[in-house]
Each structure stands twice: as C-alpha cells, then as structure tokens.
Amino acid sequence: MYAIVKTGGKQYRVEPGQKLLVERLPVEAGGSVDLEPLLFSGDTTVFDKDGLAKVKVGATVVEHLRGPKLTVFKFKPKRGYKRKTGHRQELTRIEITTITAGS
C-alpha cells in the first residue's frame, strides 16, 4: 500500500513507516500533519477527486533542519562583474504514520 502526496510544490511516493525530507512545514517537532493525497494504491487504485477525499495520509514531524550549503556564483566576462552568495534550504524530516482509505 502506498500513496502519492503533494507538499511544498513537490510530489512524493510514501509508504507507512517511511521517513523523508520535505520543505519546511509550520508544525513543531513531534506534531502531526495531514498530507494532501494525489493517488492511493492499495487493494484498488484511487485517483479521482471523490475517492481521494476519503483517503487520509498522516505524518509526524521528526525534526527541522537545514540542507547543505549551495554556492551561487554570477559572472559576466570582460565587465568585472562577480557576485558570490550562498543558500541553505530549510527542511523538515517527517515520518509517515498512517495511510487510510476510509469508506
């Protein structure tokens, strides 16, 4: 049994007990969050709007962290233009606790 969920503008294939990194969620560590399902595959596959309204995907926030540092370097030749900046993405590690396909 698995589901495809959408969070942070990205889609993830999840199964119960799986841990994954997603973009920062506004929930404290230890809190629970419901994710938006796009597809459910169990005994039958559900991907219509009415069927997905009954599907619940629950997750627990394990921790908040920051991704690796990325270096952004801009350069224009023969003009003396150089800019160096960095970026670290804010991330949340979640654990999928339940996937239910209500009646």
Side-chain angles (χ1 to χ4, degrees), residues 32-88:
S32 62
V33 63
D34 290 330
L35 302 174
E36 176 187 350
L38 298 176
L39 179 138
F40 170 76
S41 179
D43 297 335
T44 61
T45 301
V46 178
F47 52 87
D48 63 325
K49 191 173 185 179
D50 296 330
L52 288 175
K54 301 172 187 172
V55 175
K56 303 290 182 209
V57 179
T60 303
V61 174
V62 177
E63 65 177 335
H64 295 292
L65 60 144
R66 298 179 75 195
K69 174 111 180 195
L70 301 177
T71 302
V72 180
F73 185 72
K74 298 179 181 180
F75 174 76
K76 292 185 181 177
K78 302 179 205 165
R79 288 175 180 80
Y81 177 83
K82 294 185 215 172
R83 297 291 182 270
K84 183 178 177 183
T85 60
H87 174 75
R88 288 188 74 181

Side-chain angles (χ1 to χ4, degrees), residues 10 70 79 98-99:
K10 298 178 183 67
L70 301 177
R79 288 175 180 80
T98 59
I99 299 177

